Amino acid sequence: MSLRLLAALCDFMIIGLCCLFFIGKLWMPMYATDAMLEFNCLLDTYMPNLLQGQWEPLLEQIKHSPSLLNLFQSIDHFIFLNTWIYYAVNACFLQGGTVGKEIFNLRVLSIYNLQPQPIFNRIIRSGLLSFCLLTAWPFLMVMTGCFMAINKLHRGFHDQLCQTYVVRCSALEQMKTQIVQAVQQAVDADKNA
């Protein structure tokens, strides 16, 4: 469970950097310049209040500005889309895993055959994972974490729905060895009988 948490933190850092780059350097300067300038003006105006911990005046101004509300909704949608794309691309190229899982030597496998799932199932799993992480935040993320902590195989909601689980590669090799030994013992017993 701790390796899986570290892998998730690594993935979150990569997703955050991607979002900062795409939103801050590409999308906002090209498509949301006016809203960005309006937000910067509001920050300059309310900075003394913010330094004193008074956020209410700034939030009231944002609530009454359609362009800023549209900007923040667009950023929210972009973060969700970026997260899904990150997990989907990783799932396609890393057989269901992510960069964080690769670093910590973890694999996502089908619960039925101990093999990576087909590519379509991996993309569905990445969408469900993004949904659990970013929808009703942080409620669903916390619920998924609690569910993983109490579940015997440490499977989240997305793992339950997709019939997958995450395993360390060394544990996977041990399980495969045990299965081969059990099959060999069954074959030997059948020959002796």
Side-chain angles (χ1 to χ4, degrees):
M1 183 80 177
S2 60
L3 289 178
R4 194 167 179 185
L5 180 63
L6 289 172
L9 289 175
C10 182
D11 291 329
F12 292 158
M13 287 177 23
I14 294 170
I15 291 169
L17 291 173
C18 290
C19 286
L20 281 174
F21 175 75
F22 286 117
I23 292 171
K25 295 293 184 184
L26 297 179
W27 179 75
M28 284 179 69
M30 293 174 75
Y31 300 107
T33 309
D34 294 337
M36 194 170 86
L37 290 173
E38 182 181 349
F39 184 66
N40 283 337
C41 286
L42 281 176
L43 282 178
D44 290 341
T45 303
Y46 290 102
M47 189 54 71
N49 295 25
L50 295 174
L51 291 174
Q52 295 174 357
Q54 299 171 350
W55 290 82
E56 294 83 18
L58 176 66
L59 295 177
E60 281 298 317
Q61 288 294 323
I62 291 172
K63 284 199 298 194
H64 297 298
S65 172
S67 62
L68 288 178
L69 288 175
N70 187 29
L71 173 71
F72 289 118
Q73 285 177 342
S74 299
I75 289 172
D76 184 45
H77 294 137
F78 193 84
I79 289 171
F80 181 83
L81 183 64
N82 189 43
T83 303
W84 190 350
I85 289 171
Y86 172 80
Y87 282 118
V89 166
N90 277 284
C92 291
F93 291 108
L94 299 175
Q95 296 189 10
T98 60
V99 172
K101 286 182 179 69
E102 285 291 319
I103 290 171
F104 292 100
N105 211 17
L106 300 171
R107 297 287 180 268
V108 178
L109 302 174
S110 171
I111 200 156
Y112 296 115
N113 61 7
L114 300 179
Q115 296 294 321
Q117 287 194 316
I119 195 162
F120 181 74
N121 293 4
R122 292 185 229 160
I123 293 171
I124 296 297
R125 183 183 181 276
S126 67
L128 288 170
L129 176 59
S130 300
F131 181 80
C132 287
L133 292 176
L134 299 174
T135 305
W137 192 85
F139 178 72
L140 278 179
M141 184 190 321
V142 171
M143 290 301 297
T144 298
C146 292
F147 190 72
M148 288 170 57
I150 63 172
N151 189 313
K152 185 178 180 181
L153 293 176
H154 304 294
R155 296 170 65 203
F157 292 135
H158 57 288
D159 290 319
Q160 292 285 339
L161 293 172
C162 295
Q163 300 300 312
T164 59
Y165 71 105
V166 178
V167 64
R168 262 188 26 238
C169 286
S170 59
L172 174 64
E173 295 305 319
Q174 288 174 348
M175 288 186 331
K176 285 182 180 179
T177 303
Q178 290 171 350
I179 291 170
V180 167
Q181 289 173 351
V183 169
Q184 187 62 41
Q185 289 173 355
V187 168
D188 291 341
D190 191 39
K191 284 181 183 178
N192 292 336

